[in-house]
mmCIF file of all heavy atoms in Angstrom:
data_model
loop_
_atom_site.group_PDB
_atom_site.id
_atom_site.type_symbol
_atom_site.label_atom_id
_atom_site.label_comp_id
_atom_site.label_asym_id
_atom_site.label_seq_id
_atom_site.Cartn_x
_atom_site.Cartn_y
_atom_site.Cartn_z
ATOM 1 N N PHE B 164 -2.417 -8.408 -3.738
ATOM 2 C CA PHE B 164 -1.651 -7.479 -2.918
ATOM 3 C C PHE B 164 -2.247 -7.286 -1.535
ATOM 4 O O PHE B 164 -1.722 -6.547 -0.735
ATOM 5 C CB PHE B 164 -1.528 -6.137 -3.650
ATOM 6 C CG PHE B 164 -0.736 -6.269 -4.907
ATOM 7 C CD1 PHE B 164 -1.367 -6.428 -6.137
ATOM 8 C CD2 PHE B 164 0.649 -6.262 -4.862
ATOM 9 C CE1 PHE B 164 -0.623 -6.577 -7.299
ATOM 10 C CE2 PHE B 164 1.393 -6.406 -6.017
ATOM 11 C CZ PHE B 164 0.748 -6.565 -7.242
ATOM 12 N N VAL B 165 -3.357 -7.939 -1.289
ATOM 13 C CA VAL B 165 -3.960 -7.842 0.029
ATOM 14 C C VAL B 165 -4.014 -9.223 0.667
ATOM 15 O O VAL B 165 -4.715 -9.439 1.631
ATOM 16 C CB VAL B 165 -5.368 -7.229 -0.064
ATOM 17 C CG1 VAL B 165 -5.810 -6.685 1.282
ATOM 18 C CG2 VAL B 165 -5.410 -6.127 -1.091
ATOM 19 N N GLN B 166 -3.234 -10.124 0.103
ATOM 20 C CA GLN B 166 -3.136 -11.488 0.638
ATOM 21 C C GLN B 166 -4.488 -12.168 0.750
ATOM 22 O O GLN B 166 -4.675 -13.002 1.612
ATOM 23 C CB GLN B 166 -2.449 -11.509 2.014
ATOM 24 C CG GLN B 166 -1.300 -10.564 2.183
ATOM 25 C CD GLN B 166 -0.077 -10.966 1.387
ATOM 26 O OE1 GLN B 166 -0.188 -11.246 0.186
ATOM 27 N NE2 GLN B 166 1.062 -10.989 2.013
ATOM 28 N N LYS B 167 -5.432 -11.768 -0.077
ATOM 29 C CA LYS B 167 -6.715 -12.428 -0.024
ATOM 30 C C LYS B 167 -6.719 -13.635 -0.940
ATOM 31 O O LYS B 167 -6.264 -13.567 -2.064
ATOM 32 C CB LYS B 167 -7.836 -11.452 -0.399
ATOM 33 C CG LYS B 167 -8.632 -11.099 0.829
ATOM 34 C CD LYS B 167 -9.862 -10.297 0.556
ATOM 35 C CE LYS B 167 -10.360 -9.722 1.873
ATOM 36 N NZ LYS B 167 -10.539 -8.299 1.859
ATOM 37 N N GLU B 168 -7.209 -14.743 -0.418
ATOM 38 C CA GLU B 168 -7.202 -15.953 -1.221
ATOM 39 C C GLU B 168 -8.498 -16.068 -2.004
ATOM 40 O O GLU B 168 -9.566 -16.265 -1.447
ATOM 41 C CB GLU B 168 -7.008 -17.177 -0.296
ATOM 42 C CG GLU B 168 -6.306 -18.314 -0.990
ATOM 43 C CD GLU B 168 -5.152 -17.853 -1.871
ATOM 44 O OE1 GLU B 168 -4.092 -17.464 -1.346
ATOM 45 O OE2 GLU B 168 -5.321 -17.860 -3.106
ATOM 46 N N LEU B 169 -8.384 -15.898 -3.299
ATOM 47 C CA LEU B 169 -9.553 -16.044 -4.145
ATOM 48 C C LEU B 169 -9.190 -16.936 -5.322
ATOM 49 O O LEU B 169 -8.024 -17.205 -5.574
ATOM 50 C CB LEU B 169 -10.014 -14.680 -4.661
ATOM 51 C CG LEU B 169 -10.805 -13.842 -3.649
ATOM 52 C CD1 LEU B 169 -11.102 -12.471 -4.216
ATOM 53 C CD2 LEU B 169 -12.102 -14.561 -3.307
ATOM 54 N N ASP B 170 -10.195 -17.365 -6.045
ATOM 55 C CA ASP B 170 -9.920 -18.212 -7.192
ATOM 56 C C ASP B 170 -9.686 -17.342 -8.421
ATOM 57 O O ASP B 170 -10.587 -17.048 -9.196
ATOM 58 C CB ASP B 170 -11.094 -19.155 -7.437
ATOM 59 C CG ASP B 170 -10.731 -20.229 -8.442
ATOM 60 O OD1 ASP B 170 -9.788 -19.995 -9.229
ATOM 61 O OD2 ASP B 170 -11.366 -21.282 -8.437
ATOM 62 N N LEU B 171 -8.429 -16.941 -8.565
ATOM 63 C CA LEU B 171 -8.022 -16.057 -9.655
ATOM 64 C C LEU B 171 -8.467 -16.560 -11.010
ATOM 65 O O LEU B 171 -8.985 -15.811 -11.837
ATOM 66 C CB LEU B 171 -6.499 -15.959 -9.679
ATOM 67 C CG LEU B 171 -5.866 -14.762 -9.007
ATOM 68 C CD1 LEU B 171 -4.392 -14.766 -9.264
ATOM 69 C CD2 LEU B 171 -6.516 -13.497 -9.508
ATOM 70 N N GLU B 172 -8.241 -17.856 -11.229
ATOM 71 C CA GLU B 172 -8.513 -18.418 -12.544
ATOM 72 C C GLU B 172 -10.007 -18.339 -12.884
ATOM 73 O O GLU B 172 -10.388 -17.900 -13.953
ATOM 74 C CB GLU B 172 -8.036 -19.866 -12.581
ATOM 75 C CG GLU B 172 -7.096 -20.120 -13.738
ATOM 76 C CD GLU B 172 -6.541 -21.520 -13.717
ATOM 77 O OE1 GLU B 172 -6.129 -21.984 -12.638
ATOM 78 O OE2 GLU B 172 -6.518 -22.132 -14.793
ATOM 79 N N ARG B 173 -10.811 -18.738 -11.925
ATOM 80 C CA ARG B 173 -12.248 -18.714 -12.133
ATOM 81 C C ARG B 173 -12.722 -17.271 -12.343
ATOM 82 O O ARG B 173 -13.428 -16.963 -13.307
ATOM 83 C CB ARG B 173 -12.955 -19.321 -10.908
ATOM 84 C CG ARG B 173 -14.461 -19.492 -11.051
ATOM 85 C CD ARG B 173 -15.032 -20.105 -9.775
ATOM 86 N NE ARG B 173 -14.596 -19.355 -8.602
ATOM 87 C CZ ARG B 173 -15.338 -18.438 -7.970
ATOM 88 N NH1 ARG B 173 -16.556 -18.181 -8.404
ATOM 89 N NH2 ARG B 173 -14.892 -17.803 -6.913
ATOM 90 N N ASP B 174 -12.264 -16.378 -11.458
ATOM 91 C CA ASP B 174 -12.700 -14.987 -11.549
ATOM 92 C C ASP B 174 -12.292 -14.345 -12.875
ATOM 93 O O ASP B 174 -13.079 -13.628 -13.490
ATOM 94 C CB ASP B 174 -12.124 -14.184 -10.382
ATOM 95 C CG ASP B 174 -12.809 -14.525 -9.069
ATOM 96 O OD1 ASP B 174 -13.803 -15.280 -9.113
ATOM 97 O OD2 ASP B 174 -12.352 -14.051 -8.011
ATOM 98 N N SER B 175 -11.061 -14.609 -13.288
ATOM 99 C CA SER B 175 -10.612 -14.037 -14.555
ATOM 100 C C SER B 175 -11.527 -14.489 -15.682
ATOM 101 O O SER B 175 -11.965 -13.685 -16.507
ATOM 102 C CB SER B 175 -9.185 -14.497 -14.878
ATOM 103 O OG SER B 175 -8.323 -14.280 -13.797
ATOM 104 N N LYS B 176 -11.798 -15.781 -15.672
ATOM 105 C CA LYS B 176 -12.631 -16.360 -16.733
ATOM 106 C C LYS B 176 -14.009 -15.691 -16.755
ATOM 107 O O LYS B 176 -14.455 -15.199 -17.800
ATOM 108 C CB LYS B 176 -12.767 -17.865 -16.473
ATOM 109 C CG LYS B 176 -13.376 -18.656 -17.603
ATOM 110 C CD LYS B 176 -13.010 -20.135 -17.484
ATOM 111 C CE LYS B 176 -13.807 -20.998 -18.437
ATOM 112 N NZ LYS B 176 -15.199 -21.254 -17.987
ATOM 113 N N GLN B 177 -14.646 -15.655 -15.618
ATOM 114 C CA GLN B 177 -15.997 -15.087 -15.523
ATOM 115 C C GLN B 177 -16.007 -13.630 -15.971
ATOM 116 O O GLN B 177 -16.890 -13.200 -16.734
ATOM 117 C CB GLN B 177 -16.489 -15.145 -14.072
ATOM 118 C CG GLN B 177 -16.442 -16.514 -13.443
ATOM 119 C CD GLN B 177 -17.592 -17.408 -13.868
ATOM 120 O OE1 GLN B 177 -18.317 -17.075 -14.803
ATOM 121 N NE2 GLN B 177 -17.722 -18.540 -13.219
ATOM 122 N N MET B 178 -15.029 -12.898 -15.481
ATOM 123 C CA MET B 178 -14.987 -11.483 -15.798
ATOM 124 C C MET B 178 -14.844 -11.262 -17.295
ATOM 125 O O MET B 178 -15.544 -10.438 -17.893
ATOM 126 C CB MET B 178 -13.804 -10.856 -15.061
ATOM 127 C CG MET B 178 -13.697 -9.369 -15.232
ATOM 128 S SD MET B 178 -15.244 -8.516 -14.810
ATOM 129 C CE MET B 178 -14.745 -7.594 -13.395
ATOM 130 N N MET B 179 -13.964 -12.025 -17.909
ATOM 131 C CA MET B 179 -13.753 -11.846 -19.341
ATOM 132 C C MET B 179 -14.989 -12.276 -20.128
ATOM 133 O O MET B 179 -15.342 -11.647 -21.121
ATOM 134 C CB MET B 179 -12.515 -12.635 -19.797
ATOM 135 C CG MET B 179 -11.215 -12.151 -19.199
ATOM 136 S SD MET B 179 -11.070 -10.360 -19.084
ATOM 137 C CE MET B 179 -11.016 -9.939 -20.816
ATOM 138 N N GLU B 180 -15.651 -13.302 -19.640
ATOM 139 C CA GLU B 180 -16.875 -13.744 -20.331
ATOM 140 C C GLU B 180 -17.919 -12.640 -20.346
ATOM 141 O O GLU B 180 -18.587 -12.401 -21.359
ATOM 142 C CB GLU B 180 -17.439 -15.001 -19.656
ATOM 143 C CG GLU B 180 -16.867 -16.277 -20.275
ATOM 144 C CD GLU B 180 -17.192 -17.516 -19.460
ATOM 145 O OE1 GLU B 180 -17.992 -17.421 -18.510
ATOM 146 O OE2 GLU B 180 -16.624 -18.587 -19.776
ATOM 147 N N ILE B 181 -18.046 -11.964 -19.227
ATOM 148 C CA ILE B 181 -19.009 -10.852 -19.166
ATOM 149 C C ILE B 181 -18.608 -9.758 -20.147
ATOM 150 O O ILE B 181 -19.440 -9.255 -20.914
ATOM 151 C CB ILE B 181 -19.091 -10.292 -17.729
ATOM 152 C CG1 ILE B 181 -19.873 -11.262 -16.851
ATOM 153 C CG2 ILE B 181 -19.750 -8.917 -17.733
ATOM 154 C CD1 ILE B 181 -20.126 -10.760 -15.451
#
Side-chain angles (χ1 to χ4, degrees):
Chain B
F164 295 97
V165 200
Q166 321 290 50
K167 252 188 194 126
E168 209 41 74
L169 282 175
D170 191 338
L171 262 186
E172 234 176 315
R173 186 180 52 99
D174 287 353
S175 309
K176 191 159 169 283
Q177 306 281 11
M178 184 53 114
M179 295 320 293
E180 270 169 9
I181 285 185

